[in-house]
């Protein structure tokens, strides 16, 4: 959208909605435990029936964990758009959500979690994890409305997500991750095939 259009919509009092999706790929022998944090926040979100406050707390936990694990960041990507109509923003969120949910091994299956006595003593540990974060908010966040394909920009973007939650202006939060369960493995070939937009950091 042109800056002239931007200014016109501000003058007419229209709300500016931003929808953003961030991909972060982590790799290494120590990345699998991240799945524990991701699955716990997913379980909390499910139990809260999508309560935005609970989703926000989960988003903060995930962003903080990702920042702590920055040594394992390997590649990233982001996309998004600006809307002046809430319905159009909602349609775009649905489109991104559907795409993220269909990514390789990105759907947790809570019903299939078994009791500890049925879990094998050793599970294969994936060396690759991709986290996909979708948010929508009113207003502006320059840290998220730019390319996040370098480490400093990605760090600023994650911190901006935390701040947006504390400011209480997030309208929607969705997180997917691949693989979604311990024991599933995302190989390098599968990573290239299913997450071709990733850019090396």
């Amino acid at each position: 959208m042109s800056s002239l259009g931007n200014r016109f919509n501000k003058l007419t009092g229209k709300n500016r909605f931003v929808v953003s999706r961030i991909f972060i790929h982590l790799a290494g022998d120590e990345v699998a435990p991240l799945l524990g944090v991701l699955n716990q926040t997913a379980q909390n979100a499910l139990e809260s029936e999508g309560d935005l406050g609970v989703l926000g707390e989960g988003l903060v936990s995930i962003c903080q964990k990702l920042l702590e694990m920055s040594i394992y960041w390997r590649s990233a990507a982001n996309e998004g758009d600006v809307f002046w109509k809430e319905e159009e923003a909602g349609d775009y969120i649905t489109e991104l959500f559907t795409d993220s949910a269909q990514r390789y091994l990105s759907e947790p299956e809570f019903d299939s979690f078994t009791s500890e006595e049925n879990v094998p003593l050793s599970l294969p540990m994936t060396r690759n994890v991709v986290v996909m974060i979708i948010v929508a908010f009113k207003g502006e966040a320059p840290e998220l409305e730019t390319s996040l394909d370098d480490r400093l920009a990605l760090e600023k973007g994650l911190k901006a997500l935390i701040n947006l939650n504390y400011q209480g202006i997030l309208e929607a939060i969705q997180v997917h991750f691949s693989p979604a369960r311990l024991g599933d493995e995302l190989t390098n070939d599968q990573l290239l095939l299913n997450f071709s937009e990733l850019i090396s950091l």
Side-chain angles (χ1 to χ4, degrees):
M1 178 170 287
S2 71
S3 59
L4 183 62
N6 231 4
R7 287 198 298 271
F8 176 76
N9 281 300
K10 283 182 180 177
L11 289 171
T12 57
K14 286 190 176 181
N15 282 319
R16 181 181 193 269
F17 295 94
V18 179
V19 179
S20 176
R21 175 165 64 168
I22 302 171
F23 295 84
I24 305 173
H25 163 224
L26 301 91
D29 293 332
E30 306 299 322
V31 301
L34 174 62
L35 294 178
V37 175
L38 293 165
N39 271 298
Q40 184 59 58
T41 57
Q43 186 69 47
N44 293 346
L46 188 69
E47 291 172 358
S48 75
E49 298 182 345
D51 179 84
L52 197 59
V54 174
L55 293 175
E57 290 173 13
L59 177 67
V60 169
S61 296
I62 290 169
C63 289
Q64 288 174 337
K65 189 65 176 177
L66 288 169
L67 287 165
E68 289 170 13
M69 298 182 70
S70 61
I71 189 173
Y72 301 110
W73 295 353
R74 292 296 177 268
S75 55
N78 67 305
E79 61 185 324
D81 211 338
V82 174
F83 300 90
W84 298 97
K85 292 182 179 177
E86 190 170 357
E87 299 78 14
E88 292 178 0
D91 289 344
Y92 187 50
I93 293 168
T94 301
E95 180 185 324
L96 293 180
F97 175 89
T98 302
D99 178 73
S100 292
Q102 291 173 344
R103 297 287 178 137
Y104 183 74
L105 296 178
S106 66
E107 275 290 281
E109 296 178 27
F110 298 110
D111 293 342
S112 69
F113 289 159
T114 54
S115 62
E116 287 186 15
E117 60 192 40
N118 294 327
V119 174
L121 290 176
S122 63
L123 289 169
M125 289 293 191
T126 184
R127 295 191 77 257
N128 294 301
V129 174
V130 176
V131 181
M132 295 163 274
I133 299 171
I134 302 169
V135 295
F137 55 91
K138 290 179 183 176
E140 299 180 2
E143 302 89 346
L144 294 169
E145 297 180 53
T146 186
S147 178
L148 302 181
D149 58 4
D150 71 70
R151 288 179 174 273
L152 182 58
L154 183 54
E155 181 180 324
K156 288 180 178 178
L158 291 172
K159 289 178 178 177
L161 287 177
I162 294 172
N163 290 335
L164 288 174
N165 178 65
Y166 288 141
Q167 290 166 18
I169 60 174
L170 288 174
E171 301 282 322
I173 303 166
Q174 297 166 348
V175 179
H176 289 85
F177 42 98
S178 174
R181 292 180 293 166
L182 282 170
D184 286 343
E185 189 174 5
L186 179 63
T187 67
N188 289 336
D189 287 344
Q190 290 160 346
L191 182 73
L192 289 170
L193 184 63
N194 295 282
F195 300 94
S196 58
E197 56 271 89
L198 289 169
I199 300 169
S200 294
L201 294 169

